[in-house]
């Protein structure tokens, strides 16, 4: 699978306690409670344009570049990462029908373990057919994004 590295740089680093809602959600969320969506990409976009939009999202929305480490006192906190890089998977459709390939990629994302104590809370992939991007898949920790936030991100 091809990967594209995206460098991002937001406005700030920050560390803060979890919100009340995050505290309620925390138990067991280190590896689960992920929001996964597959969004059709408008015709005429290139992979580079889609990756530029992903870069913009990381830079604009701090929650997408947040980790949730556990402090020395055993309490989790949220830590915004100002700058870093992420790998975006480029999934080539063609083994099945396009929709089946998209669903297979979504299923793979749901099975992957991302430790939000050290990994940023959002992961993206781009599905292509004949080199043309067709779908954007994003998986985000529920600590960073609820379903309404996912709809807005879409």
């Amino acid at each position: 699978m091809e990967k594209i590295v995206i460098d991002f740089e937001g406005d700030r680093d920050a560390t803060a306690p979890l919100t009340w809602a995050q505290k309620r959600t925390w138990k067991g969320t280190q590896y689960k409670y992920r929001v996964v969506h597959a969004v059709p990409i408008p015709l005429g976009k290139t992979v580079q344009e889609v990756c530029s939009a992903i870069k913009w999202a990381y830079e604009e929305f701090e929650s997408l570049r947040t980790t949730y480490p556990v402090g020395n006192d055993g309490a989790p906190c949220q830590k915004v990462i100002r700058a870093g890089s992420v790998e975006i998977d480029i999934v080539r459709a063609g083994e099945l029908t396009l929709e089946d390939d998209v669903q297979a990629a979504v299923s793979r994302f749901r099975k992957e373990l991302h430790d939000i104590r050290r990994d940023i809370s959002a992961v993206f992939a781009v599905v292509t057919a004949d080199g043309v991007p067709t779908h954007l898949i994003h998986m985000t920790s529920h600590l960073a994004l609820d379903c309404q936030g996912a709809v807005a991100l879409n």
Side-chain angles (χ1 to χ4, degrees):
M1 179 179 316
E2 180 186 354
K3 294 184 182 286
I4 294 177
V5 176
I6 294 177
D7 297 317
F8 62 84
E9 186 170 344
D11 289 337
R12 66 182 181 141
D13 286 310
T15 301
L18 297 184
T19 66
W20 284 107
Q22 288 171 321
K23 287 177 186 177
R24 211 173 72 196
T25 307
W26 172 256
K27 189 174 182 175
T29 60
Q30 289 91 340
Y31 298 106
K32 55 185 179 179
Y33 299 123
R34 297 180 301 253
V35 179
V36 181
H37 282 261
V39 184
I41 296 172
L43 292 174
K45 300 295 181 190
T46 66
V47 170
Q48 188 57 45
E49 288 172 317
V50 174
C51 288
S52 292
I54 295 169
K55 174 185 170 86
W56 172 84
Y58 275 120
E59 292 177 344
E60 186 71 15
F61 302 110
E62 290 181 344
S63 66
L64 300 183
R65 53 187 162 84
T66 297
T67 62
Y68 298 88
V70 175
N72 292 334
D73 62 357
C77 66
Q78 49 188 323
K79 183 178 179 183
V80 176
I81 308 301
R82 184 182 65 77
S85 53
V86 292
E87 289 185 339
I88 307 300
D89 291 343
I90 306 300
V91 179
R92 290 194 170 93
E95 292 184 24
L96 307 167
T97 66
L98 177 59
E99 287 306 315
D100 287 341
D101 284 334
V102 169
Q103 288 309 310
V106 167
S107 293
R108 181 181 57 82
F109 255 46
R110 285 198 169 120
K111 292 175 186 171
E112 287 183 5
L113 295 180
H114 293 273
D115 187 346
I116 61 172
R117 294 171 295 189
R118 70 174 193 292
D119 301 331
I120 61 173
S121 54
V123 181
F124 291 87
V126 178
V127 178
T128 64
D130 298 323
V132 177
T134 62
H135 290 79
L136 175 66
I137 300 171
H138 61 87
M139 179 176 70
T140 309
S141 167
H142 190 49
L143 287 170
L145 190 71
D146 62 13
C147 286
Q148 292 302 316
V151 169
L153 184 60
N154 290 348

